[in-house]
Amino acid sequence: MANSNFIDHVRIYCRSGNGGAGAVSFRREKHVPKGGPDGGNGGRGGSIILRGNKQLWTLLHLRYKKHVTAENGGNGSGQRSSGADGQDVILEVPLGTIAKSEETGDVIAEVTEEGQEIVLLPGGRGGLGNENFKTATKQTPRYAQPGEDGEEKLCILELKLLADVGLVGFPNAGKSTLLSVVSAAKPEIADYPFTTLVPNLGVVSYRDHKSFVMADIPGIIEGAAEGKGLGLRFLRHIERNSILLFLVPADADDIEKEYNILLDELKRYNPELLDKKRILAVSKSDMLDDELIAEIKPTLPKGIETLFISSVANRGIDQLKDKIWQAINE
């Protein structure tokens, strides 16, 4: 995913189609000068529909689609002819997309499966023609129903990436390097903060042709939950991960303190994130010898499984995959 092509938030004005009006008509034939009512019904207005598409990873294709309007239903006519239904508008979206009303902030729809279709705004119903109002005492009704109006709404589409594992860490903790080593993803890597400006996804191969999906989220900094750095914009991508893999580099001044700051940012953003399974990996551990590792172990945070890894030296990577797979399947 090129940085400029990753769009995870779009704003679209949507309007579904109006229903067509029912017809007022009477049967008139050569030998039937005073036939009964034969007005047809109006057609249904087109709906706005979201459809899940697993081939999409971004909302880029909707970035410049500011207005989406479905077709109105056709009016009914004589000889019991119903109007044509208005054509639906189908918006293809990546899996993990949610739609919200901009006015209330309420979630209207959530697309998580391939081919799943959710009606965002239904079209108006068509009106009934006068044929439907004929009774034993009123055999020539001269009225019909108008069609229902469609709905209109300013909608926000947001993408929350679907991944099994979300990488959490400060900038330069080695998240992108780890993803590039365990998967075919090619994130941008450099020795300065915020190299990763958009989330990256990678499929990690495991034993016996198994695999899981890992997401590299742009680095969190202290205060991310209040909007500092890039954290707030991308923290929502962690919400759908089953496991959170915390990365703290071996050269950190205080590994436990860094871990607790990261944990606190997640808690302030969404306390439910703390209910997810967590693993801590001390990255860049190729710079440590066995003696230093033995010194560091007593200072590590309690209550979380911790591994020492090095992506560059391929140290501890297989053990990390084992722990992740075990956690996913528990």
Side-chain angles (χ1 to χ4, degrees), residues 134-152:
K134 180 177 65 174
T135 66
T137 56
K138 196 174 188 74
Q139 297 194 4
T140 56
R142 298 183 179 278
Y143 52 86
Q145 274 184 334
E148 284 184 350
D149 290 338
E151 298 182 19
E152 54 183 312

Side-chain angles (χ1 to χ4, degrees), residues 302-317:
K302 307 297 185 288
I304 181 171
E305 193 149 19
T306 305
L307 295 91
F308 288 83
I309 67 166
S310 168
S311 302
V312 174
N314 200 25
R315 175 180 176 180
I317 300 299

Side-chain angles (χ1 to χ4, degrees), residues 175-308:
K175 301 186 300 300
S176 297
T177 305
L178 174 62
L179 186 68
S180 70
V181 167
V182 298
S183 76
K186 296 289 180 275
E188 186 176 340
I189 300 169
D191 191 23
Y192 54 85
F194 296 122
T195 311
T196 303
L197 299 177
V198 302
N200 289 289
L201 283 180
V203 178
V204 180
S205 296
Y206 189 59
R207 310 174 198 274
D208 303 323
H209 308 291
K210 300 184 183 80
S211 64
F212 55 86
V213 179
M214 184 178 283
D216 169 24
I217 311 298
I220 297 171
I221 64 170
E222 194 166 2
E226 278 78 48
K228 291 184 180 177
L230 301 173
L232 180 66
R233 182 179 166 197
F234 295 115
L235 277 172
R236 67 170 169 268
H237 292 298
I238 301 174
E239 292 184 277
R240 283 216 176 91
N241 304 152
S242 4
I243 295 163
L244 300 180
L245 175 58
F246 288 77
L247 255 69
V248 178
D251 57 357
D253 294 334
D254 187 331
I255 292 174
E256 183 176 24
K257 182 180 177 183
E258 286 207 7
Y259 168 73
N260 287 330
I261 291 172
L262 292 167
L263 209 57
D264 185 57
E265 289 303 322
L266 298 189
K267 181 180 178 182
R268 286 155 72 187
Y269 174 72
N270 182 354
E272 291 179 7
L273 291 174
L274 301 195
D275 296 333
K276 294 182 181 291
K277 297 172 186 174
R278 303 193 293 270
I279 298 172
L280 173 61
V282 179
S283 60
K284 307 180 183 180
S285 62
D286 52 302
M287 61 179 70
L288 305 176
D289 56 24
D290 292 341
E291 191 177 333
L292 275 172
I293 289 175
E295 283 181 27
I296 291 172
K297 278 184 176 178
T299 68
L300 295 173
K302 307 297 185 288
I304 181 171
E305 193 149 19
T306 305
L307 295 91
F308 288 83

